[in-house]
Amino acid sequence: MLYVKTEVRESEVHNLGLFLLEPVKKGTVILIANSNGIMTETEYQSEQAKDNMLISMTAVRLLGRHFIYGDSIGNEEYMNHSETPNMLYHCGICLAARDIAPGEELTVNYKYFLAEQDVFAFNNAETGQKVDGISPADAFIQSAEEVLALLKELLQADSESTELG
């Protein structure tokens, strides 16, 4: 579920993208992934191989070798990949990695969404490098480290503003 106002429109990154209609402050929860169910990584890859577009568009890694998926395609399924995303993803939650202005496209690093050797691995439009999932352990550890660093930064900034006030 998206917690900010967005619209889907043409993207310079890839085809269609998800764009903000309101300002978002760094650290804001932008999305908690919809979940109609949970499946294993093997089941996820099998559904992708069958061209199940609902699974391919809605499923994301939750934790370990488990993926959650939605029952319908909403705006959130149009987030595009970036190596320098403006959102951080961890276990079904997207947070603003920085302040994001209205009109900006919301991006996330797909390595946290995808399975290892994902059926729909692709080449990054910006770099030409292959974008694929990483190991479940690396996905958890790396995304947790990114979120922890963001939260520490926000707490430090809050502490400093409290000391000044």
Side-chain angles (χ1 to χ4, degrees):
M1 167 178 273
L2 281 163
Y3 292 96
V4 296
K5 294 177 184 164
T6 61
E7 70 179 358
V8 175
R9 65 176 195 244
E10 217 171 296
S11 168
E12 291 182 14
V13 175
H14 175 73
N15 198 12
L16 297 174
L18 184 63
F19 293 82
L20 269 181
L21 296 177
E22 62 183 322
V24 172
K25 291 285 188 196
K26 183 179 195 174
T28 300
V29 173
I30 293 176
L31 167 114
I32 297 177
N34 291 330
S35 177
N36 189 53
I38 190 165
M39 62 177 45
T40 66
E41 187 168 14
T42 302
E43 291 167 326
Y44 163 73
Q45 291 275 54
S46 176
E47 290 301 314
Q48 284 185 309
K50 295 176 193 173
D51 285 330
N52 182 333
M53 291 312 295
L54 182 64
I55 296 301
S56 295
M57 287 190 71
T58 66
V60 293
R61 182 181 302 281
L62 178 63
L63 183 61
R65 295 200 183 276
H66 292 91
F67 285 68
I68 54 175
Y69 59 92
D71 61 355
S72 63
I73 296 170
N75 280 10
E76 59 270 22
E77 275 69 57
Y78 293 93
M79 290 184 292
N80 279 316
H81 167 79
S82 176
E83 295 294 322
T84 55
N86 53 21
M87 292 188 300
L88 301 179
Y89 175 80
H90 180 69
C91 296
I93 300 172
C94 286
L95 302 165
R98 60 172 174 76
D99 290 347
I100 310 171
E104 282 191 67
E105 182 171 0
L106 293 173
T107 57
V108 67
N109 193 325
Y110 271 40
K111 72 180 181 182
Y112 300 125
F113 281 6
L114 302 176
E116 285 184 281
Q117 301 175 358
D118 200 274
V119 171
F120 288 112
F122 58 94
N123 288 332
N124 184 330
E126 298 167 330
T127 66
Q129 299 293 318
K130 185 177 181 180
V131 177
D132 202 351
I134 57 178
S135 76
D138 287 343
F140 180 79
I141 292 166
Q142 289 177 25
S143 64
E145 288 173 343
E146 290 175 5
V147 170
L148 185 57
L150 173 68
L151 294 176
K152 284 181 179 179
E153 187 179 325
L154 292 170
L155 289 171
Q156 180 66 30
D158 187 50
S159 174
E160 290 171 2
S161 70
T162 302
E163 290 173 7
L164 296 175

